[in-house]
Amino acid sequence: MKAFHWILLYCAAPLLSDVQGTYHLMAGDPELMAAQSYAQTRNNGHPPLRTLNPAKTDSQCRSRSLDLVFIIDSSRSVRRGEFEKVKIFLANIVDTLEVGSDSTRVAVVNYASTVKTEFLLKDYFSKLDLKKAISRIEPLATGTMTGLAIKTAANEAFTEQSGARPRSRNISKVAIIVTDGRPQDQVEEVSAAARGKGIEIYAVGVDRADMRSLQLMASTPLEDHVFYVETYGVIEKLTSKFRETLCGVDPCSMGHDCEHICVNSNASYYCKCRKGYILNPDKKTCSLKQVKVEVVEDPCKCEARLAFQKQTQAAIQQLAAKLADVTGRIERLENTVGRA
C-alpha cells in the first residue's frame, strides 16, 4: 500500500509543479523573497510550444478608455517558448479591452540591450489587427535595459504624434512592464519622471525578477501595481487581475443625453453626431450640415429678363402718357361745359 502512495505522489509531482502560485506583492511581505528563491529552481523541461492564435477571442468586459503601452523584456534569459507565453498574455489582456480610436489604444515597446517600438498607439484600432501585430513580435538579444525602455515609452510612445490623446481628453495613460531579470540601468528616476507625466505603471515580475526594482518602477499603492509569478507558465493567470483593474463602468449604458452617438471617456462620456451632421453648442444634439448652394444664372436668361423689363417699363410709360392726355381732354371738356 505504501508503495502505491509513493507511485501516486511521483506521478502527481509534475502537475503540482505546474500549478505554481501567482503572487500579488505587498510591500514588505516576508514571503516575497522565499517565493523568489523557490522560483530559481524552475523546470528546465521543454513542454510543447504554445503559440498565439490571433483569431481566438475570449469574453470581454466594458473597459475604460486607455492609452496602454506594454513594455516587454525579451532578453536572452527569456526562452522562445516563454516569450510566446508573454505574447499570449498580452493578447488575452487585449481581449478584455474595448479597442478603438475612441476607446482603448495599444502600443508595444520591446527591449533587451536595445529598445524597439513594435507599433504605436495610432497604428491599430481592432483587436484582430492588434493580436496579429503581437504575434509577429520577435525577441531581441542580450541585456536588460529596463530604464531605457521606460524612458522610450514615456518620451516617444506616449506622445500625441504617436497616437496618445491630449491631456484635455482625460484619457488614462497606462504602462504594463513584464520582466524576468534585474535591470542593467537605473529605473528609479526614469520611472518617477514617467509617473510625473501622468503615466500609471504596473510592474509584472517573473521568476528571477528583482523585487526592489519592480517596486521602484511601479505606481503606488504598490499592492495594486506590483505582481509576481514564479514562471511564465502561469503568467496568464494575471489576466483576470488586469481585467478587474482595467475594466470600468460604462457611462453610456447608464444613461446619456446624446441625440446620436455616445462615446465613453473614462468615468464620463461625450457626444458625437452621425455623418452629415454637426454637434450643436449644447454638445448633445445634432443638426444637419448646411450646404451652401451658389446659384449661377444663365447669362442668356439674364439678358432676356433685362430686355423684358425695359419693354415693360416703356409700355407703362406709354400708357401713363396716354392716360395723362385723356385726363387733360376730360378736364378741358368739363371747363367748356361749365362756362356754357
Side-chain angles (χ1 to χ4, degrees), residues 160-182:
E160 290 185 35
Q161 292 83 355
S162 296
R165 269 70 65 92
R167 188 181 293 269
S168 60
R169 289 283 302 276
N170 197 30
I171 302 294
S172 297
K173 291 176 170 54
V174 176
I176 298 178
I177 304 169
V178 182
T179 180
D180 77 338
R182 180 187 297 273

Side-chain angles (χ1 to χ4, degrees), residues 188-204:
E188 185 173 7
E189 290 186 6
V190 293
S191 298
R195 295 193 300 267
K197 293 181 178 181
I199 301 171
E200 184 179 11
I201 301 178
Y202 292 86
V204 178

Side-chain angles (χ1 to χ4, degrees), residues 13 134 250 331:
I134 291 172
D250 180 3
E331 288 178 351

